[in-house]
C-alpha cells in the first residue's frame, strides 16, 4: 500500500506558551479524530510531528491514524526552524519508501509548517537540505504578527498567515489542514495524482490570509 506521508512542523518556542500551544495540541487531536472518520485518509495518511524550539525533535515518527497518540507539548526556548527543516529532510530519507523497479514507493509527502516567530538558527542551511528532497506540497503558516512571512516564502510559495495566534485562529488552521489532507488522500486514491497547488485544496477559512 502506498502511504501519504504528512509531516507537521510545529513551533514550540517560548512565545507559543499558554493559549497558542494548547490550541496546537487541540488542533492536532481534532485533526486526527476527523481523519479517522475519513475512509480514504485512514487507509493512506500517515502523520509525523516534529517540534522546534531551541532544538528540533521528531516527537512522533510517521504513524498510521489508528495508532497515532498525541504527546504533550511544552513551549520553551527559541526558534530552530532550520534544524527542523534539516530533520524533516533526514526523516523523509529514512521513513518514506522510494519507488524502485520492484515496487511503487509512497506518495510524495505533504509538509505543514507553523511558526509564530522568526528563526533563531541558520535556517538557510536547513532550507538547502529541505529543498533537495521532493515533497508534493509544503504549506507554511505565519501565526500572529511576530512571524516573518518573507522567511516562509523562501521555504515554499504556499504561505498563509493568521492575524493572531489565539485558539480560534489556530483551530481554524488545523481544520483547514485536516480538509487538505482529506482531499489529498482522496485524490491519490481515486486518480493517483498528488496535490501540487493551493488551488487544488479546499479554500482556506477567512482567518487564513494567503500571502502573495
Amino acid at each position: 500500500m502506498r502511504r501519504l506521508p504528512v509531516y507537521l512542523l510545529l513551533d514550540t518556542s517560548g512565545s507559543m506558551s499558554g493559549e497558542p500551544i494548547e490550541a496546537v495540541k487541540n488542533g492536532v487531536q481534532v485533526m486526527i479524530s476527523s481523519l479517522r472518520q475519513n475512509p480514504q485518509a485512514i487507509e493512506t495518511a500517515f502523520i509525523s510531528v516534529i517540534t522546534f524550539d531551541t532544538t528540533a525533535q521528531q516527537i512522533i515518527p510517521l504513524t498510521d491514524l489508528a495508532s497515532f497518540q498525541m504527546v504533550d507539548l511544552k513551549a520553551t526556548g527559541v526558534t530552530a526552524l532550520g534544524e527542523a527543516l534539516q530533520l524533516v529532510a533526514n526523516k523523509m530519507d529514512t521513513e518514506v519508501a522510494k519507488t524502485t523497479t520492484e515496487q511503487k514507493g509512497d506518495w510524495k509527502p505533504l509538509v505543514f509548517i507553523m511558526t509564530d516567530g522568526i528563526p533563531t538558527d541558520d535556517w538557510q542551511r536547513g532550507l538547502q537540505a529541505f529543498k533537495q528532497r521532493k515533497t508534493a506540497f509544503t504549506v507554511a503558516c505565519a501565526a500572529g504578527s511576530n512571524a516573518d512571512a518573507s522567511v516562509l516564502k523562501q521555504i515554499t510559495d504556499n504561505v498563509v498567515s493568521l492575524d493572531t495566534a489565539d485558539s480560534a485562529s489556530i483551530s481554524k488552521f488545523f481544520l483547514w489542514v485536516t480538509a487538505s489532507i482529506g482531499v489529498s488522500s482522496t485524490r491519490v486514491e481515486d486518480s493517483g495524482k498528488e496535490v501540487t497547488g493551493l488551488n487544488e485544496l479546499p479554500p482556506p477559512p477567512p482567518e487564513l490570509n494567503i500571502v502573495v
Side-chain angles (χ1 to χ4, degrees), residues 106-119:
D106 292 328
W107 300 103
K108 286 187 201 140
L110 304 175
V111 179
F112 294 94
I113 303 167
M114 180 177 196
T115 179
D116 76 332
I118 295 165

Side-chain angles (χ1 to χ4, degrees), residues 153-207:
K153 277 301 253 193
Q154 294 176 63
I155 299 171
T156 175
D157 288 336
N158 310 300
V159 177
V160 293
S161 69
L162 296 170
D163 294 334
T164 52
D166 61 9
S167 56
S169 302
I170 289 173
S171 65
K172 286 290 193 326
F173 170 69
F174 277 102
L175 286 174
W176 178 70
V177 169
T178 305
S180 300
I181 295 169
V183 165
S184 303
S185 56
T186 303
R187 199 177 153 98
V188 295
E189 289 267 302
D190 291 353
S191 68
K193 289 199 170 71
E194 291 156 332
V195 166
T196 55
L198 276 178
N199 58 333
E200 295 165 11
L201 294 177
E207 291 80 358

Side-chain angles (χ1 to χ4, degrees), residues 69-91:
Q69 291 279 327
M70 190 51 185
V71 298
D72 195 27
L73 299 178
K74 295 271 184 281
T76 172
V78 291
T79 313
L81 176 58
E83 199 178 313
L85 292 171
Q86 176 72 58
L87 181 57
V88 73
N90 297 348
K91 293 299 176 187

Side-chain angles (χ1 to χ4, degrees), residues 93-115:
D93 288 347
T94 56
E95 292 180 334
V96 179
K98 305 280 182 283
T99 297
T100 65
T101 47
E102 265 68 85
Q103 60 157 17
K104 285 276 195 194
D106 292 328
W107 300 103
K108 286 187 201 140
L110 304 175
V111 179
F112 294 94
I113 303 167
M114 180 177 196
T115 179

